[in-house]
Amino acid sequence: MIPFKRHIQDIKPYEPGKPIKELQREYGMRSVIKLASNENPLGPSGKAIRAMRKTIREVHLYPEGNCYYLLTRLAKELDLDPAQIIFGNGSNEIIELLARGFLSEGDEVISSEMTFLVYPILSQVCGAKFKAVPMTRDYRYDLDGILRAITPKTRIIFIANPNNPTGTYVTAREVEDFLAKVPENIVVCFDEAYVDFVDAEDFPKMLAYVKAGRANVVVLRTFSKAYGLAGLRIGYGAASKEMAAYLHKVRQPFNVNAVAQAAAAAALDDSFFLWRTKWLVVRGRKFFYRKLKPLGLEYLPSQANFILVHMKTDGQEVYQELLRQGMIVRPMSAYKLGEWIRITIGRHSQNTELIRLLKAYLNKNISCKASRVSAA
Ligand SMILES: Cc1ncc(COP(=O)(O)O)c(C=O)c1O
């Protein structure tokens, strides 16, 4: 008998958004729009592309194990000591390092329901129990609920801020109150994958806690979203020197490839690209707010590069219908949001096309319902 572990066999694997090429193959389509995985619709920055081209000639060599050049560049950007930063193969890897570093069988991890599914998966891999605290009525993390869920077995609390898939956030004041009450032996991980899209003034400045020496706070960020480098897999954690040194012991020696390191460093220098990306997203969010309301569709105001939309019908069915039209969005049944779909903000032409398809879908469904009623 192969000694499969029960808690690993019970894991429901993460289902990523459907790749464009897969849909093209399946349906024989040439033109496909993907607004499903919160990627950057502008592609990578020109500076990053040039850096990648240059580095490709050197891929016969192992990368720098400590990401020296990128580390120095980012530490300057964030005004942190380089010893406070650890890079990962996507910020997902830092979540994994935290899980492997701090969890043993029987430990507990707390987060929210309707949040990033990698937290429960990686907790379960380590045999820990994942507690999903219900959200507030306005689909935000319930920090008081999380405090109430703490037990002596709690090791890590994950807070996605802004949250995926709701796009909602917890405020600076709420975080301050929360951190004042969390025992210092619990690691609190603020996952800021979408921080570059935030425009709310009361959004917390988590790096200030790290700078102030808050030993149990870890802040995660990524180059996958605003920096347009999702395919390279690079993200990082910022924490106390002691925490970063501990996590370095858990990682593999060459966990971040050379092309990713070079591209990320170049992307940090492309502030115009970052500005354009944020402008596109902020404008796109407003466009969707304006267009969804007249269609009778509710949505959650978002601080991220996506919007969660309540279709008031089976979201999987809407997803399938949009797929047939060459549009990939994200159905939300895995998050127990069966009537919702998540839409990534795209370029204006892509956003307009999605609104056109949603309108057509709703019209078709309304007329189907009307003809069923008149037949009855
Ligand atoms: C909340 C959240 N954290 C982390 C990640 C992972 O990002 P990365 O590509 O850096 O692994 C994602 C990606 O979708 C996310 O939504």
Side-chain angles (χ1 to χ4, degrees), residues 222-253:
T222 182
F223 286 92
S224 297
K225 312 292 175 184
Y227 290 91
L229 300 177
L232 289 180
R233 313 303 304 124
I234 177 159
Y236 61 92
S240 67
K241 287 188 201 174
E242 194 187 9
M243 173 71 78
Y246 182 75
L247 295 176
H248 273 294
K249 291 178 203 247
V250 185
R251 72 170 174 86
Q252 290 194 31

Short mmCIF file of all heavy atoms in Angstrom, two decimals, residues 222-253:
data_model
loop_
_atom_site.label_atom_id
_atom_site.label_comp_id
_atom_site.label_asym_id
_atom_site.label_seq_id
_atom_site.Cartn_x
_atom_site.Cartn_y
_atom_site.Cartn_z
N THR A 222 3.48 40.90 -5.24
CA THR A 222 3.78 40.09 -6.42
C THR A 222 4.09 40.94 -7.64
O THR A 222 3.64 42.09 -7.72
CB THR A 222 2.60 39.15 -6.73
OG1 THR A 222 2.94 38.35 -7.86
CG2 THR A 222 1.31 39.91 -7.05
N PHE A 223 4.84 40.36 -8.57
CA PHE A 223 5.05 41.01 -9.87
C PHE A 223 4.07 40.47 -10.91
O PHE A 223 4.17 40.79 -12.08
CB PHE A 223 6.50 40.76 -10.33
CG PHE A 223 7.51 41.57 -9.57
CD1 PHE A 223 8.12 41.06 -8.44
CD2 PHE A 223 7.83 42.86 -9.97
CE1 PHE A 223 9.04 41.80 -7.73
CE2 PHE A 223 8.74 43.62 -9.26
CZ PHE A 223 9.35 43.10 -8.14
N SER A 224 3.12 39.62 -10.47
CA SER A 224 2.21 38.96 -11.42
C SER A 224 1.09 39.86 -11.93
O SER A 224 0.53 39.60 -12.98
CB SER A 224 1.54 37.75 -10.76
OG SER A 224 2.48 36.79 -10.41
N LYS A 225 0.73 40.86 -11.16
CA LYS A 225 -0.48 41.62 -11.50
C LYS A 225 -0.11 42.95 -12.16
O LYS A 225 -0.01 43.03 -13.36
CB LYS A 225 -1.33 41.82 -10.23
CG LYS A 225 -1.54 40.54 -9.41
CD LYS A 225 -2.39 39.53 -10.13
CE LYS A 225 -2.47 38.23 -9.35
NZ LYS A 225 -3.21 37.19 -10.07
N ALA A 226 0.13 43.98 -11.36
CA ALA A 226 0.38 45.31 -11.93
C ALA A 226 1.65 45.33 -12.78
O ALA A 226 1.76 46.10 -13.73
CB ALA A 226 0.47 46.34 -10.81
N TYR A 227 2.63 44.50 -12.46
CA TYR A 227 3.89 44.51 -13.22
C TYR A 227 3.84 43.61 -14.46
O TYR A 227 4.81 43.55 -15.22
CB TYR A 227 5.06 44.11 -12.30
CG TYR A 227 5.37 45.17 -11.26
CD1 TYR A 227 4.77 45.13 -10.00
CD2 TYR A 227 6.23 46.22 -11.55
CE1 TYR A 227 5.03 46.10 -9.06
CE2 TYR A 227 6.50 47.20 -10.61
CZ TYR A 227 5.90 47.14 -9.36
OH TYR A 227 6.16 48.11 -8.43
N GLY A 228 2.75 42.87 -14.62
CA GLY A 228 2.55 42.11 -15.85
C GLY A 228 3.51 40.96 -16.06
O GLY A 228 3.84 40.62 -17.20
N LEU A 229 3.95 40.30 -14.98
CA LEU A 229 4.93 39.22 -15.14
C LEU A 229 4.43 37.87 -14.59
O LEU A 229 5.23 37.06 -14.12
CB LEU A 229 6.25 39.62 -14.45
CG LEU A 229 6.94 40.89 -14.96
CD1 LEU A 229 8.19 41.20 -14.14
CD2 LEU A 229 7.31 40.76 -16.44
N ALA A 230 3.13 37.64 -14.68
CA ALA A 230 2.54 36.43 -14.07
C ALA A 230 3.22 35.14 -14.56
O ALA A 230 3.45 34.22 -13.78
CB ALA A 230 1.04 36.37 -14.34
N GLY A 231 3.56 35.10 -15.85
CA GLY A 231 4.12 33.87 -16.42
C GLY A 231 5.53 33.57 -15.92
O GLY A 231 6.02 32.44 -16.08
N LEU A 232 6.20 34.56 -15.36
CA LEU A 232 7.57 34.33 -14.89
C LEU A 232 7.62 33.77 -13.47
O LEU A 232 8.63 33.21 -13.06
CB LEU A 232 8.37 35.64 -14.92
CG LEU A 232 8.74 36.17 -16.30
CD1 LEU A 232 9.53 37.46 -16.15
CD2 LEU A 232 9.56 35.16 -17.06
N ARG A 233 6.53 33.99 -12.72
CA ARG A 233 6.41 33.53 -11.33
C ARG A 233 7.44 34.21 -10.42
O ARG A 233 8.51 33.66 -10.13
CB ARG A 233 6.58 31.98 -11.24
CG ARG A 233 5.80 31.17 -12.23
CD ARG A 233 4.30 31.44 -12.15
NE ARG A 233 3.79 31.21 -10.83
CZ ARG A 233 3.13 32.15 -10.13
NH1 ARG A 233 2.90 33.34 -10.61
NH2 ARG A 233 2.68 31.86 -8.93
N ILE A 234 7.12 35.41 -10.01
CA ILE A 234 7.98 36.07 -9.03
C ILE A 234 7.17 37.00 -8.12
O ILE A 234 6.33 37.77 -8.59
CB ILE A 234 9.18 36.80 -9.70
CG1 ILE A 234 10.01 37.54 -8.63
CG2 ILE A 234 8.76 37.75 -10.82
CD1 ILE A 234 11.41 37.87 -9.04
N GLY A 235 7.38 36.83 -6.83
CA GLY A 235 6.73 37.66 -5.83
C GLY A 235 7.66 37.72 -4.62
O GLY A 235 8.76 37.15 -4.64
N TYR A 236 7.24 38.40 -3.57
CA TYR A 236 8.14 38.49 -2.41
C TYR A 236 7.38 38.69 -1.11
O TYR A 236 6.19 39.03 -1.11
CB TYR A 236 9.17 39.62 -2.61
CG TYR A 236 8.58 41.01 -2.75
CD1 TYR A 236 8.39 41.83 -1.64
CD2 TYR A 236 8.23 41.50 -3.99
CE1 TYR A 236 7.87 43.10 -1.76
CE2 TYR A 236 7.70 42.77 -4.14
CZ TYR A 236 7.51 43.57 -3.02
OH TYR A 236 6.98 44.82 -3.16
N GLY A 237 8.10 38.46 -0.03
CA GLY A 237 7.57 38.73 1.29
C GLY A 237 8.47 39.76 1.95
O GLY A 237 9.69 39.75 1.75
N ALA A 238 7.87 40.66 2.73
CA ALA A 238 8.64 41.64 3.52
C ALA A 238 8.29 41.39 4.98
O ALA A 238 7.10 41.26 5.32
CB ALA A 238 8.27 43.06 3.11
N ALA A 239 9.32 41.30 5.80
CA ALA A 239 9.08 40.94 7.21
C ALA A 239 10.28 41.38 8.05
O ALA A 239 11.19 42.06 7.56
CB ALA A 239 8.89 39.43 7.32
N SER A 240 10.30 40.97 9.32
CA SER A 240 11.47 41.27 10.16
C SER A 240 12.65 40.45 9.63
O SER A 240 12.47 39.45 8.92
CB SER A 240 11.17 40.84 11.60
OG SER A 240 11.06 39.43 11.65
N LYS A 241 13.86 40.89 9.98
CA LYS A 241 15.05 40.15 9.52
C LYS A 241 15.02 38.71 10.03
O LYS A 241 15.39 37.78 9.33
CB LYS A 241 16.32 40.83 10.06
CG LYS A 241 16.64 42.14 9.39
CD LYS A 241 18.01 42.59 9.88
CE LYS A 241 18.18 44.07 9.68
NZ LYS A 241 19.40 44.58 10.25
N GLU A 242 14.56 38.56 11.26
CA GLU A 242 14.52 37.23 11.86
C GLU A 242 13.56 36.32 11.09
O GLU A 242 13.88 35.16 10.78
CB GLU A 242 14.04 37.38 13.32
CG GLU A 242 14.25 36.17 14.15
CD GLU A 242 13.61 36.32 15.54
OE1 GLU A 242 12.86 37.31 15.75
OE2 GLU A 242 13.83 35.44 16.37
N MET A 243 12.40 36.87 10.74
CA MET A 243 11.40 36.09 10.00
C MET A 243 11.94 35.74 8.60
O MET A 243 11.83 34.60 8.15
CB MET A 243 10.10 36.90 9.87
CG MET A 243 9.05 36.28 8.99
SD MET A 243 8.30 34.82 9.70
CE MET A 243 7.18 35.57 10.86
N ALA A 244 12.51 36.74 7.92
CA ALA A 244 13.01 36.50 6.56
C ALA A 244 14.12 35.44 6.60
O ALA A 244 14.14 34.52 5.76
CB ALA A 244 13.51 37.80 5.95
N ALA A 245 15.01 35.53 7.59
CA ALA A 245 16.11 34.55 7.69
C ALA A 245 15.55 33.15 7.90
O ALA A 245 16.04 32.17 7.33
CB ALA A 245 17.03 34.94 8.84
N TYR A 246 14.49 33.06 8.68
CA TYR A 246 13.86 31.75 8.95
C TYR A 246 13.27 31.18 7.66
O TYR A 246 13.48 30.00 7.33
CB TYR A 246 12.77 31.95 10.01
CG TYR A 246 12.05 30.69 10.43
CD1 TYR A 246 12.67 29.77 11.27
CD2 TYR A 246 10.76 30.42 9.99
CE1 TYR A 246 12.01 28.62 11.67
CE2 TYR A 246 10.09 29.28 10.40
CZ TYR A 246 10.72 28.38 11.24
OH TYR A 246 10.06 27.25 11.63
N LEU A 247 12.55 32.04 6.91
CA LEU A 247 11.91 31.56 5.68
C LEU A 247 12.95 31.18 4.63
O LEU A 247 12.74 30.25 3.85
CB LEU A 247 10.94 32.61 5.14
CG LEU A 247 9.74 32.90 6.05
CD1 LEU A 247 8.88 34.03 5.48
CD2 LEU A 247 8.87 31.66 6.27
N HIS A 248 14.09 31.88 4.61
CA HIS A 248 15.16 31.53 3.66
C HIS A 248 15.62 30.09 3.88
O HIS A 248 16.02 29.40 2.94
CB HIS A 248 16.37 32.47 3.83
CG HIS A 248 16.26 33.72 3.01
ND1 HIS A 248 16.27 33.73 1.64
CD2 HIS A 248 16.13 35.02 3.38
CE1 HIS A 248 16.17 34.97 1.19
NE2 HIS A 248 16.06 35.78 2.23
N LYS A 249 15.57 29.62 5.11
CA LYS A 249 16.01 28.25 5.41
C LYS A 249 15.07 27.21 4.79
O LYS A 249 15.45 26.07 4.56
CB LYS A 249 16.08 28.01 6.92
CG LYS A 249 17.18 28.80 7.59
CD LYS A 249 17.15 28.56 9.09
CE LYS A 249 17.83 29.69 9.81
NZ LYS A 249 19.05 29.39 10.47
N VAL A 250 13.82 27.64 4.55
CA VAL A 250 12.82 26.69 4.04
C VAL A 250 12.86 26.60 2.52
O VAL A 250 12.47 25.61 1.92
CB VAL A 250 11.40 27.11 4.52
CG1 VAL A 250 10.35 26.08 4.12
CG2 VAL A 250 11.37 27.32 6.03
N ARG A 251 13.34 27.67 1.86
CA ARG A 251 13.24 27.70 0.39
C ARG A 251 14.34 26.88 -0.28
O ARG A 251 15.36 26.57 0.34
CB ARG A 251 13.28 29.14 -0.10
CG ARG A 251 14.63 29.81 -0.01
CD ARG A 251 14.66 31.14 -0.75
NE ARG A 251 15.91 31.84 -0.54
CZ ARG A 251 17.00 31.64 -1.27
NH1 ARG A 251 17.00 30.76 -2.25
NH2 ARG A 251 18.10 32.33 -1.02
N GLN A 252 14.11 26.59 -1.56
CA GLN A 252 15.14 25.92 -2.34
C GLN A 252 16.23 26.92 -2.71
O GLN A 252 15.96 28.12 -2.81
CB GLN A 252 14.53 25.34 -3.61
CG GLN A 252 13.62 24.17 -3.33
CD GLN A 252 13.30 23.42 -4.60
OE1 GLN A 252 14.11 23.35 -5.51
NE2 GLN A 252 12.11 22.84 -4.65
N PRO A 253 17.47 26.43 -2.98
CA PRO A 253 18.58 27.37 -3.22
C PRO A 253 18.35 28.32 -4.41
O PRO A 253 18.72 29.47 -4.36
CB PRO A 253 19.76 26.45 -3.51
CG PRO A 253 19.37 25.09 -3.06
CD PRO A 253 17.89 25.03 -2.95
#
